[in-house]
Each structure stands twice: as C-alpha cells, then as structure tokens.
Amino acid sequence: GDPAAGAKLFFGEARCSDCHMMQGKGGFIGSDLSEFGSTHTADEIRQIILQPDKVLVPGWQLVRIVTHSGQHFSGLVRNEDNFSIALLSEDGVFHLLMKSEIARITREPRSIMPDDYGKKLSPRQLDDLASYLILGSAHKSPRTKSADASPSKSPCR
C-alpha cells in the first residue's frame, strides 16, 4: 500500500482519527495507534479493521447505560468501582454516574469501532491504511482541510 494515501484516509475519508490518535494527532476515544504497526502485520491490521468484534480487548467494548431518570449514555468505561462508573461517551464527553442512579447497564459483546469498513473501503484503501499504520512514523499526518475539520458526527458507535 501507499502510506501517504493511507495517512490521507486515516485523517480524512475513513475518519479513523475521529477516534484514534496517530503521532500525536487525532481523537482519544479509541487507542493510540502510533506504535500499532510495529506489533502487527499488514494482514492482522486489515482483519482488525474489517472484523473489529473478532478479538474484543477488555475495556474496549461498547457499554450502554440508562439512568432511573431515563437518560441514555453509550461509550467506553474508563473507570468503575462499587459506587460509580466513569464513561467516555462516543462524542468524547466524560460522564461520572453514581451506580445508585443507574437503572440498567448493558455491556455489549462488540467493539465500539464500526464494522462496515469492508463496505466503505476498497482493498487498495485497506492496504494503504495498513501501510500507513506500519510506516506511520515516517509518514506524518497530512495537513488537509478534511484533517483539520471537526465532523459533526463521529463514526465510532
């Protein structure tokens, strides 16, 4: 793949940077991928992008919460104890909820990462993304209009 094209995808059309950080730029809802390519092969990266639910990492599964007052939250648990739960919602906001206020917590057996990249991206684009993740430190984040724009809705769900 072409790592420069992969960088443009990561920070543009594929919207990976809405949730993930690479080389200090991007979102913080998902994991920082700056070193990801040094521990994963191109084939492994493609499979993770195409099937994010296949290997669920503890702490990265989608959690939905409904409070007694009817409020709904979804996102990732960032801290939990006997009395409270800190949830990072999909819009990047932290919510500290007392467990006594929670009517229902649903821990879904799926990743918060979208699972439709196989439909949205071509095989060539997947190769480009994998190449960027593997060679990312040599190919810095592009400074494009789409990379600096704040999308109104994140694809992380």
Side-chain angles (χ1 to χ4, degrees):
D2 176 358
K8 288 179 183 175
L9 280 167
F10 188 92
F11 292 97
E13 179 185 346
R15 299 180 65 184
C16 306
S17 66
D18 286 0
C19 298
H20 295 282
M21 187 172 291
M22 186 69 168
Q23 305 302 326
K25 186 174 179 186
F28 57 89
I29 294 171
S31 55
D32 183 337
L33 299 179
S34 299
E35 300 299 321
F36 191 77
S38 66
T39 59
H40 294 80
T41 67
D43 286 336
E44 290 171 332
I45 292 169
R46 279 191 294 273
Q47 286 307 306
I48 290 167
I49 293 169
L50 293 172
Q51 299 175 331
D53 298 335
K54 190 171 182 178
V55 179
L56 281 177
V57 177
W60 293 101
Q61 72 187 66
L62 181 65
V63 174
R64 297 188 189 277
I65 295 176
V66 179
T67 66
H68 291 296
S69 65
Q71 291 180 293
H72 292 255
F73 300 93
S74 66
L76 300 172
V77 172
R78 288 290 153 243
N79 192 36
E80 183 174 5
D81 59 29
N82 291 339
F83 306 101
S84 64
I85 188 166
L87 187 82
L88 176 58
S89 61
E90 297 169 274
D91 60 2
V93 176
F94 276 98
H95 303 274
L96 179 60
L97 303 163
M98 300 307 296
K99 287 192 173 175
S100 61
E101 300 170 345
I102 296 174
R104 184 174 63 246
I105 299 175
T106 307
R107 298 171 199 271
E108 297 190 9
R110 70 177 194 86
S111 170
I112 194 168
M113 185 169 157
D115 60 1
D116 59 354
Y117 283 115
K119 295 176 186 168
K120 291 182 178 180
L121 301 175
S122 71
R124 175 67 185 182
Q125 289 174 311
L126 289 168
D127 288 345
D128 293 344
L129 271 175
S131 181
Y132 174 61
L133 291 172
I134 290 169
L135 302 171
S137 60
H139 296 274
K140 300 295 182 191
S141 309
R143 304 229 13 108
T144 64
K145 184 177 180 182
S146 63
D148 297 330
S150 297
S152 60
K153 186 177 179 198
S154 170
C156 295
R157 52 185 186 301

